[in-house]
Amino acid sequence: MKNILNIKGATKISKTTQSQINGGISPGPGGYDLSKCGCDCAGRVTGPFYCQFSIGCLQVYTCDDAQTS
């Protein structure tokens, strides 16, 4: 733990200061629009780049389940 203070520019902050830090994956107040994310028939994530970090898809083929002959 002491080695981290050897990094140039690193400083130790108090627990109070740490509790005031907010973070997350959201780019702003509106966040990401997860309604643009989805899955294709092969189980791959579709949509904007952030979808691959926000959702997961089952790795199964499901698109032809509704079709019966």
Side-chain angles (χ1 to χ4, degrees):
M1 184 73 170
K2 292 180 181 181
N3 290 337
I4 200 162
L5 296 177
N6 293 332
I7 299 172
K8 185 176 182 178
T11 58
K12 188 174 183 180
I13 60 175
S14 69
K15 287 188 182 258
T16 303
T17 304
Q18 290 178 37
S19 68
Q20 295 171 354
I21 296 173
N22 294 320
I25 65 167
S26 177
Y32 290 127
D33 185 0
L34 296 181
S35 68
K36 295 180 179 180
C37 302
C39 301
D40 67 9
C41 295
R44 292 181 296 254
V45 175
T46 60
F49 77 96
Y50 56 80
C51 292
Q52 62 185 325
F53 305 112
S54 303
I55 70 166
C57 299
L58 297 175
Q59 299 298 313
V60 294
Y61 287 85
T62 57
C63 295
D64 294 328
D65 286 351
Q67 296 178 358
T68 56
S69 300

